[in-house]
Amino acid sequence: MPISRRYFLKSSGGAALAASGALWTPQVAHAQLTFGDMRLDVLSDGSLRLPGSFSFGPMPQDELGPVLAAYDQSPELLTPPCNVTLLRSGDRNILFDVGSGPDFAPTAGLLLDSLDALGLAPEDITDVVFTHGHPDHLWGLLDDFDDPLFTEASYLMGKTEWDYWIDPKTVDSISSDRVPFAVGAKRRLEAIEDNIEFFNDGEEILPGVAARASFGHTPGHMAFEIRSGSQAAMVVGDAIGNDHVALARPAWISGSDQDGETGAATRLSLLDQIATEQMPLIGFHINQGGIGRVEKASEGYRFIAET
């Protein structure tokens, strides 16, 4: 793949981080799943660096330690990948979320390089579907001139999620550490308000793509069941936020969820369906390529990556 100026800048930023002791390797490689006439690619938008307390804070600390140790997961630092899903079906190129763009995290914002690795440019995207409005899923929406980057795309978002982020009162009701999330979401969504379609739980929003309410991480978070004949996969966004504690102890409240109790109930429901139906899932912050299946374990579930 030719090395673009954007990739060079990202790599330079990564070198600076490495020099300061923060490890980051730019990745544009993707995992892939094909069924029927549909092809799903999991594209890297880079990764994040978050304090462990962001997710682990509300969890029972005496029980948490052994679970983290079993997965070799640090309690102090989370470095989740950011996996953007691309669905190609017929003449449609559908993105589920658009990544961070350049303004959220120095270790993220690689989506355009990952698209380029597949021979695609932003103007080739026909539809953009949002799971929710957090920065690592939404802030890649605009270009350097604050115009929509995906110039030929139609945009789709759950009505509950849209209403939450577009509401000027959200900035006053959201937790203080997430005020920038609300400000950034509203500004970006206003840029596409003349080209947005809304949907609700259970609706087929595009051919073979059905919305699944998965509230909790945000007030209107949506997952998506992609189906071709008897084969299906579930794009879970952040409803299942990692491949360790979220599966091993799905009932535990996560600090990453805006509504922890609802988020836990959603997680349990999704995992039960995915495990029962042996349906592949694609998770935005799931390691090992982002695609896999889950199976029941003694106290929760375990993730099995697609090979």
Side-chain angles (χ1 to χ4, degrees):
M1 181 191 75
I3 301 299
S4 67
R5 178 175 180 272
R6 176 185 176 86
Y7 187 85
F8 175 78
L9 290 172
K10 285 290 177 184
S11 298
S12 298
L17 284 171
S20 68
L23 298 178
W24 178 54
T25 303
Q27 298 286 339
V28 296
H30 64 280
Q32 184 184 116
L33 182 67
T34 303
F35 52 87
D37 61 351
M38 294 181 169
R39 172 174 164 176
L40 289 160
D41 289 279
V42 180
L43 309 182
S44 175
D45 190 50
S47 62
L48 302 180
R49 294 177 61 84
L50 303 168
S53 59
F54 180 75
S55 288
F56 304 146
M59 297 178 183
Q61 299 300 302
D62 56 335
E63 300 177 53
L64 175 64
V67 175
L68 295 181
Y71 287 89
D72 198 26
Q73 169 60 51
S74 165
E76 285 83 30
L77 178 66
L78 284 162
T79 56
C82 296
N83 303 314
V84 174
T85 301
L86 169 70
L87 169 62
R88 287 183 274 187
S89 180
D91 60 355
R92 290 184 183 271
N93 297 316
I94 305 164
L95 276 182
F96 293 86
D97 297 326
V98 293
S100 296
D103 298 329
F104 181 58
T107 51
L110 295 180
L111 177 59
L112 295 187
D113 296 295
S114 291
L115 284 170
D116 186 57
L118 295 182
L120 294 172
E123 57 267 26
D124 296 319
I125 301 303
T126 59
D127 308 271
V128 172
V129 181
F130 295 106
T131 61
H132 65 297
H134 278 169
D136 49 332
H137 299 254
L138 176 66
W139 283 19
L141 180 64
L142 304 181
D143 64 16
D144 292 339
F145 302 96
D146 282 348
D147 294 320
L149 177 62
F150 302 95
T151 55
E152 303 303 311
S154 297
Y155 299 93
L156 301 94
M157 179 178 264
K159 186 63 166 59
T160 300
E161 188 74 358
W162 171 275
D163 288 346
Y164 177 75
W165 293 111
I166 207 71
D167 185 349
K169 297 179 182 178
T170 295
V171 72
D172 299 317
S173 61
I174 201 168
S175 63
S176 60
D177 59 321
R178 300 189 188 206
V179 166
F181 292 14
V183 174
K186 188 173 187 296
R187 180 170 73 84
R188 287 163 176 82
L189 293 177
E190 286 174 341
I192 59 168
E193 60 185 343
D194 293 331
N195 186 23
I196 187 81
E197 298 176 36
F198 304 118
F199 55 84
N200 295 297
D201 180 33
E203 294 181 4
E204 184 177 41
I205 63 170
L206 292 167
V209 181
R212 165 74 185 274
S214 47
F215 301 170
H217 184 70
T218 59
H221 186 288
M222 286 284 184
F224 301 95
E225 184 173 321
I226 300 170
R227 183 170 292 277
S228 177
S230 61
Q231 295 179 290
M234 186 80 77
V235 176
V236 300
D238 283 4
I240 301 172
N242 56 64
D243 51 8
H244 39 82
V245 179
L247 277 82
R249 300 293 185 273
W252 284 359
I253 289 176
S254 171
S256 66
D257 293 336
Q258 291 184 220
D259 181 339
E261 291 186 1
T262 301
T266 289
R267 213 160 28 249
L268 287 163
S269 176
L270 280 174
L271 286 168
D272 179 67
Q273 177 187 353
I274 292 166
T276 299
E277 299 181 17
Q278 277 299 287
M279 179 189 299
L281 71 83
I282 304 173
F284 195 86
H285 294 305
I286 299 288
N287 282 294
Q288 305 176 67
I291 299 179
R293 299 175 187 268
V294 298
E295 63 180 22
K296 291 186 177 180
S298 58
E299 296 187 66
Y301 297 82
R302 66 172 60 92
F303 179 75
I304 304 169
E306 288 284 320
T307 58

